[in-house]
Each structure stands twice: as structure tokens, then as C-alpha cells.
Amino acid sequence: LMVKGTKLCDASGEPYQLKGISTHGLQWFPQYVNPETFRCIRDEFGANVVRLAMYTDENGYCVGGEAVQKKLKECVNNGVKYATDLGMYVIIDWHILHDLTPMKYVEQAKPFFEEMSKKYAGYDNVIYEICNEPNGSATWDDIKKYANEVIPVIRANAPDAIIIVGTPTWSQDVDQAAKDPIKSDNVMYALHFYAGTHKDSLRQKMVSAIKAGLPVFVSEFGITDASGNGRCDIEEANKWVLVMDNYQVS
């Protein structure tokens, strides 16, 4: 895969759309990382990518101690193996959330991504998502500073890999990234939505960012409200899917 303009493209430079499913936190639900589940996601849901959500906080990788770290790494490695065996793409997601700013654990992120990018240097199906949802007072400047420290670590081993960078306010402020993008090839920018909460104004923000030249990747979404509660808003979710398909957003 490569990024050309605003689009994710295949090896021949043709636009290529990834559609898939994310796990929940691997520290809570490791049991869903198994070959049968991934096969079901591929064959019954028609998906071509799985995202491995590895939380950094909340008893996750950076706070759970050595045993938790070992378990989570094993879970990620298994996930990459199962996805690869099934001919699927896989996203290794450094899932910041309660840590607010990615700078909090930047010193843990660098060796993690060094190890992963070294291990999967020869794989063309592994995507690196380096900061899930910066929030609180985390600014685009903070995120950019973090990205400029972490991206070179990955690039040293995987010079052409796709890297997804989160944006402020739980990965909604793609407009800020569009005004001041990171100077690196094959970088995309995360936009997250929950259809019951995030409607036309966020869709328009995404479209404006794409029109301004930003390669956007929707690396997480849901069809309830942002809390995960409430009814499934199918109508609003379908509006999102139409816009994503129209702009060939993964």
C-alpha cells in the first residue's frame, strides 16, 4: 500500500479501500484474537483489515507491569500472524485514551515500535497507528512533536509502511492537521466518529480536510453514540458510509 494524494492506493497506484473491524482493549478481551474470529470477520463480514487495539493506560501496556506487557505483545504478534495467514491487513494500534497526550508515554512508544517494525519489516500488510485518540488539552503541536519522534523509529526498519497519526479531540480535528501536516510519505490522519453523536458537522470537517489535501483514515467508528450506549443510529451511520465510499476513505 502507498499514499497518493489523499488516497490509500495499492501497489499499482490504484485507490484501495480497507474495511474492517477493531478489537476492544486487548488487555480485557484477548480471547477474540484467534484464527476463527478473524476468518469470520473476513468471510462473513467481508472485511480485509483487523485493528489490534492495545491500550497504553487503563491496565494496559505502559502501566500494567512486565507480565501485562508480555501478554499484550504476544496478543499483538498472534493477531498479526492470524491476519497474515488469512491474507488480511492488520493495524497495530498504540491506543492512548486516558493518558490524554501521546507525549506521556513517548519513551515507551519508541522501543515498542522499534521492535514491531523490525519484526514486521518484510511484511506489506502491517499498518502502524501511533496514537489512537489524543484528547484533553493535547494540541496538534504536541501530537506532531510525538509523531516526529516515533515515525523515524518505524521508518528505520519499515521505510514504506503506512503510519496513521491521531488528531486532537479524540481524533476529530483533522482540520488542524490539514493546516500543518507532518512532512513524511505514507502518513495518514485518523478521524473517529460514533454515528449517534457525530453527524453532519464532523462529516463536513472530514470532507474539507480531504479537499485540502489530507489523507484521512477512519481507524475507529461505531454506530451508537460516543459512550457506546443508546440505540444504533443506522440512518446516520449509512450517511457516513456513503461519504467514506464517495471519497474512498478506509
Side-chain angles (χ1 to χ4, degrees):
L1 297 177
M2 63 178 96
V3 177
K4 281 179 73 176
T6 59
K7 291 185 168 68
L8 186 64
C9 295
D10 64 18
S12 61
E14 291 301 311
Y16 188 77
Q17 203 178 11
L18 292 178
K19 299 178 180 183
I21 290 184
S22 177
T23 69
H24 196 353
L26 298 176
Q27 80 276 35
W28 298 312
F29 300 104
Q31 68 270 33
Y32 293 108
V33 178
N34 68 70
E36 290 72 29
T37 299
F38 284 19
R39 187 176 287 108
C40 169
I41 288 169
R42 184 191 69 177
D43 297 346
E44 293 181 38
F45 288 66
N48 56 9
V49 63
V50 175
R51 177 184 187 237
L52 304 169
M54 192 192 76
Y55 277 66
T56 46
D57 215 325
E58 298 173 78
N59 200 39
Y61 187 84
C62 297
V63 295
E66 220 171 285
V68 168
Q69 260 191 24
K70 191 173 173 237
K71 248 188 189 147
L72 285 171
K73 247 186 234 177
E74 196 179 313
C75 202
V76 168
N77 288 324
N78 286 340
V80 172
K81 182 189 186 312
Y82 305 147
T84 305
D85 288 349
L86 289 162
M88 299 174 80
Y89 289 90
V90 60
I91 298 170
I92 298 175
D93 164 34
W94 184 258
H95 199 92
I96 76 148
L97 188 61
H98 282 190
D99 17 350
L100 309 181
T101 171
M103 287 306 289
K104 183 171 180 182
Y105 296 124
V106 65
E107 293 312 323
Q108 286 95 323
K110 287 189 277 194
F112 173 80
F113 281 111
E114 181 179 27
E115 185 181 330
M116 291 293 153
S117 60
K118 209 173 197 168
K119 189 176 175 72
Y120 300 116
Y123 287 56
D124 57 9
N125 64 322
V126 177
I127 294 167
Y128 301 94
E129 184 168 7
I130 62 173
C131 52
N132 168 60
E133 285 187 355
N135 63 90
S137 60
T139 63
W140 176 241
D141 283 346
D142 297 331
I143 298 161
K144 205 173 170 191
K145 183 171 184 256
Y146 167 84
N148 284 329
E149 288 192 42
V150 173
I151 289 172
V153 170
I154 297 171
R155 289 281 174 250
N157 298 312
D160 301 320
I162 302 295
I163 295 172
I164 302 170
V165 181
T167 55
T169 320
W170 298 281
S171 283
Q172 292 170 59
D173 293 341
V174 283
D175 53 328
Q176 293 180 27
K179 285 178 192 150
D180 183 23
I182 292 155
K183 288 175 175 55
S184 185
D185 291 334
N186 289 337
V187 169
M188 304 192 82
Y189 300 83
L191 180 129
H192 292 175
F193 71 84
Y194 280 80
T197 302
H198 308 115
K199 304 189 180 183
D200 201 51
S201 63
L202 188 59
R203 276 196 293 276
Q204 290 315 311
K205 193 190 268 196
M206 179 178 82
V207 169
S208 298
I210 293 167
K211 286 182 172 171
L214 198 75
V216 171
F217 193 117
V218 176
S219 57
E220 181 183 321
F221 75 90
I223 66 172
T224 59
D225 63 31
S227 70
N229 300 315
R231 67 184 186 89
C232 290
D233 196 334
I234 306 287
E235 192 186 338
E236 211 55 48
N238 280 334
K239 288 179 189 174
W240 272 106
V241 170
L242 283 173
V243 174
M244 288 192 290
D245 284 351
N246 193 29
Y247 288 92
Q248 292 168 306
V249 172
S250 289

